[in-house]
């Protein structure tokens, strides 16, 4: 069969982990004559933002045993680690701890690159991996027309949006702002002047490792509303899930009261709080989607920062490195709000209000790294997201997070919860807001098969 007589392809936009998983499973689920296109604008295929780093101190925040990319073989990554030869830098990035083995994200990127090669080899000419950024999408009778940045257009029968976390919000404009993922843009930093990191979570920890790797020896000040640091993993298995009645499940306060109670009981019995948190993981999406919107808003406002530091834990060596920085006074973590920011010729003047006070303090920052994570859909300057919003093809998800979609990923229109007639899906962190657990490797890996089946049913039907 020639390419002219083939049915139109299904396209995936975004060649990170979500794109790799979606493309791989679509190749299995779609009829064998249906091609798959995968677009990636800037990185090697399969790695995305998280796994392109070469810094051996950028560690995975899950154990090797949790990071398999193969839904049918839970130990695939751990076994690959055991049989692969590594160079000196890579070996530095593999840390065996009491809580399990944690590899660097660069090593994990190598694992994904090997998987990608196998997918390409197995797919033959059915898979087209295109290094281009899609900047616009038009609805067409048979699906969509995709426009890439070079002016090339392609017709497709269906489209999966897998563009990952949207770039962080611009808290305030400053010419001292630097991209935490681009150390090449840091310039030469003066060891006698502060660098400000906005946020205190996993991305802040990464930013500290990036700054040190880039040779910065000065003081780093991290500012976040609550100043909470991610907790480290420990050698603990999942414990008992607290019993959650329908009454408890309907209220944010009661739900988290029940979790706190279960943690207290576990600790009184000599067990670790982590067991309770981990036991909740299989039902977190269900708990989130079961809460009324007003209660979901309460979770986001009051509970999420505490939940995140307990649930999204860090590798013990990364936590130890941060603790050592704090002990030496090289890293100062402030619980405060940024209330003003202005630039002088030498530095940015950042005014903060420490939590629980009316005081004002200023920080003179020679560079500012925004480590707050992801932005709300409407705030992003991403050209494709802006084009999709303009054309009415997508809407912001609940609370402005991610894209409005069904829990299965079908993009929904103005009628709440109803999929549009367009063959359009969102996948991975783009579903943030609809789902709670959609951002980490195990969630994305396990969800890809169902997504591909739904796409195949819709396209074939
Ligand atoms: C720094 C960091 C560390 C993390 N560590 C872990 C971890 O240890 N364990 C874990 O389970 N999870 C971790 N995560 C969570 C992470 O979100 C997932 O593991 C996963 O990598 C998400 O992949 P993604 O493909 O959805 O997004 P991304 O990795 O962001 O990939 C999206 C890709 O889409 C491309 N793209 C975007 N727009 C376009 C366009 N218009 N056209 C073409 N291409 C486009 C981008 O260039 C990018 O490569 C981490 C996340 C980050 C940011």
């Amino acid at each position: 069969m020639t390419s002219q007589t083939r049915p139109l392809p299904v396209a995936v936009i975004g060649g990170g982990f979500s794109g790799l998983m979606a493309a791989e499973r679509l190749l299995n689920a779609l009829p064998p004559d249906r091609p798959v296109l995968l677009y990636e604008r800037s990185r090697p295929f399969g790695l995305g933002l998280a796994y392109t780093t070469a810094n051996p101190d950028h560690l995975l925040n899950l154990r090797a045993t949790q990071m398999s990319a193969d839904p049918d073989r839970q130990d695939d990554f751990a076994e690959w680690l055991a049989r692969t030869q590594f160079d000196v830098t890579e070996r530095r990035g593999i840390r065996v701890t009491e809580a399990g083995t944690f590899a660097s994200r660069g090593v994990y990127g190598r694992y994904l690159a090997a998987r990608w090669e196998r997918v390409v080899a197995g797919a033959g000419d059915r898979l087209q991996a295109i290094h281009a950024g899609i900047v616009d999408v038009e609805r067409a009778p048979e699906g969509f027309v995709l426009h890439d940045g070079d002016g090339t257009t392609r017709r497709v029968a269906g489209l999966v949006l897998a563009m990952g976390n949207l770039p962080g919000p611009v808290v305030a404009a400053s010419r001292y702002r630097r991209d935490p993922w681009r150390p090449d843009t840091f310039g030469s930093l003066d060891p006698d002047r502060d660098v400000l990191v906005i946020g205190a979570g996993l991305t802040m920890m990464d930013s500290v490792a990036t700054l040190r790797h880039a040779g910065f020896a000065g003081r780093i000040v991290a500012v976040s509303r609550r100043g909470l640091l991610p907790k480290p993993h420990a050698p603990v298995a999942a414990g008992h899930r607290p019993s959650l009645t329908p009454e408890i499940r309907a209220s944010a306060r009661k739900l988290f009261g029940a979790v706190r109670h279960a943690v207290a009981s576990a600790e009184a019995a000599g067990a670790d709080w982590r067991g309770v948190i981990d036991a909740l993981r299989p039902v977190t999406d269900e708990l989130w989607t079961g809460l009324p919107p007003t209660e979901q808003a309460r979770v986001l406002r009051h509970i999420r920062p505490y939940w995140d530091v307990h649930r999204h834990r860090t590798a013990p060596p990364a936590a130890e490195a941060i603790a050592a920085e704090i002990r030496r006074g090289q890293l100062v973590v402030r619980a405060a709000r940024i209330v003003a920011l202005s630039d002088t010729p030498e530095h940015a003047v950042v005014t903060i209000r420490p939590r629980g006070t009316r005081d004002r303090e200023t920080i003179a920052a020679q560079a500012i790294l925004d480590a707050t994570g992801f932005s709300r859909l409407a705030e992003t300057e991403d050209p494709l997201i802006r084009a999709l919003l303009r054309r009415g093809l997508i809407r912001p998800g609940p609370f402005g997070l991610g894209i409005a979609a069904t829990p299965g990923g079908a993009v929904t229109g103005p009628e709440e919860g109803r999929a549009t007639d367009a063959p359009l899906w969102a996948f991975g962190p783009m579903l943030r807001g609809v789902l709670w657990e959609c951002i980490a490797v195990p969630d994305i890996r396990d969800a890809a098969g169902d997504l591909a089946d739904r796409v195949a049913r819709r396209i074939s039907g």
Side-chain angles (χ1 to χ4, degrees):
M1 188 181 276
T2 67
S3 60
Q4 278 82 3
T5 57
R6 272 182 162 178
L8 284 179
V10 171
V12 178
I13 304 181
F17 183 73
S18 300
L20 165 63
M21 288 294 106
E24 192 182 324
R25 308 300 285 184
L26 281 168
L27 286 163
N28 288 337
L30 290 165
D33 59 340
R34 177 81 69 178
V36 172
L37 297 184
L38 179 63
Y39 283 94
E40 168 53 48
R41 68 178 165 201
S42 57
R43 302 187 171 94
F45 286 98
L47 275 58
L49 172 62
Y51 310 115
T52 17
T53 170
N55 184 337
D57 293 326
H58 283 163
L59 296 181
L60 292 172
N61 50 45
L62 290 179
R63 299 169 179 91
T65 47
Q66 295 166 289
M67 289 294 289
S68 168
D70 190 329
D72 303 320
R73 301 186 60 240
Q74 293 294 313
D75 280 329
D76 192 58
F77 177 55
E79 287 170 7
W80 177 88
L81 264 187
R83 67 170 184 267
T84 303
Q85 300 281 323
F86 296 104
D87 67 23
V88 179
T89 313
E90 288 172 324
R91 274 204 299 276
R92 264 196 58 210
I94 301 171
R95 318 281 174 92
V96 180
T97 78
E98 274 188 356
T101 297
F102 294 85
S104 71
R105 298 206 306 269
V107 163
Y108 190 69
R110 204 178 135 187
Y111 163 72
L112 293 181
R115 187 167 187 96
W116 168 248
E117 274 174 26
R118 285 201 302 279
V119 173
V120 171
D125 68 349
R126 233 186 112 202
L127 173 64
Q128 284 183 54
I130 302 171
H131 252 139
I134 297 298
V135 292
D136 198 2
V137 173
E138 270 178 277
R139 186 78 169 95
E142 70 281 21
F144 299 100
V145 178
L146 309 186
H147 298 255
D148 75 21
D150 299 331
T152 308
T153 57
R154 278 192 183 79
R155 292 182 310 130
V156 298
L159 184 57
V160 176
L161 304 172
M163 287 102 75
N165 287 304
L166 300 169
V170 178
V171 178
S174 165
R175 70 183 147 101
Y176 297 99
R177 183 174 292 280
R178 303 284 178 269
D179 183 342
W181 312 116
R182 301 269 322 269
D184 55 310
T185 63
F186 289 179
S188 73
L189 295 170
D190 178 350
D192 294 324
R193 294 193 298 148
D194 288 347
V195 168
L196 176 73
V197 179
I198 306 175
L202 293 166
T203 306
M204 178 282 286
M205 296 178 65
D206 256 23
S207 301
V208 172
T210 306
L211 283 161
R212 297 306 181 217
H213 204 68
F216 178 60
R219 193 172 81 139
I220 301 169
V221 182
V223 174
S224 83
R225 300 246 172 110
R226 292 175 178 78
L228 300 170
L229 292 170
K231 307 279 183 198
H233 286 284
V236 176
H240 288 298
R241 191 180 308 152
S243 120
L244 301 168
T245 61
E247 191 198 336
I248 293 175
R249 287 167 178 251
S251 148
R253 193 176 55 77
K254 287 185 184 159
L255 197 49
F256 284 85
V259 174
R260 271 204 305 272
H261 182 74
V263 165
S265 309
E267 289 185 329
D272 193 287
W273 58 265
R274 294 169 183 83
V276 177
I277 303 293
D278 294 353
L280 285 165
R281 186 185 167 125
V283 294
T284 349
D285 272 340
E286 185 187 313
L287 294 174
W288 170 249
T289 46
L291 281 171
T294 47
E295 295 300 304
Q296 289 181 330
R298 283 204 175 100
V299 171
L300 290 177
R301 225 176 13 253
H302 304 297
I303 297 163
R304 183 165 129 206
Y306 297 97
W307 173 258
D308 279 354
V309 295
H310 289 89
R311 162 73 184 81
H312 298 290
R313 299 195 289 271
T314 180
E320 281 153 23
I322 289 294
E325 290 267 356
I326 293 172
R327 276 196 305 275
R328 288 195 300 268
Q330 289 293 90
L331 170 66
V332 178
V333 180
R334 304 295 310 272
R337 245 173 213 275
I338 294 179
V339 290
L341 193 159
S342 60
D343 287 350
T344 72
E346 294 79 35
H347 51 244
V349 179
V350 184
T351 309
I352 60 169
R353 178 158 62 78
R355 188 170 172 80
T357 75
R358 289 175 183 278
D359 301 344
R360 296 282 191 277
E361 291 176 28
T362 57
I363 300 165
Q366 60 175 320
I368 301 173
L369 272 53
D370 185 344
T372 48
F374 50 87
S375 69
R376 290 175 201 274
L377 196 81
E379 289 165 356
T380 180
E381 286 164 8
D382 182 274
L384 175 59
I385 295 286
R386 298 239 58 89
L388 290 164
L389 284 168
R390 203 173 51 243
R391 290 189 182 277
L393 285 170
I394 59 167
R395 291 179 311 119
F399 310 102
L401 298 172
I403 292 175
T406 64
V411 169
T412 52
E415 209 178 319
E416 210 53 56
R418 290 285 299 273
T420 60
D421 64 349
L424 181 61
W425 292 266
F427 187 52
M430 309 239 83
L431 289 173
R432 190 97 206 211
V434 180
L435 297 177
W436 191 261
E437 303 280 3
C438 58
I439 53 170
V441 160
D443 318 318
I444 297 168
R445 171 197 67 207
D446 295 342
D450 284 348
L451 170 89
D453 288 345
R454 279 189 288 269
V455 174
R457 272 200 302 276
R458 168 72 204 268
I459 299 288
S460 308

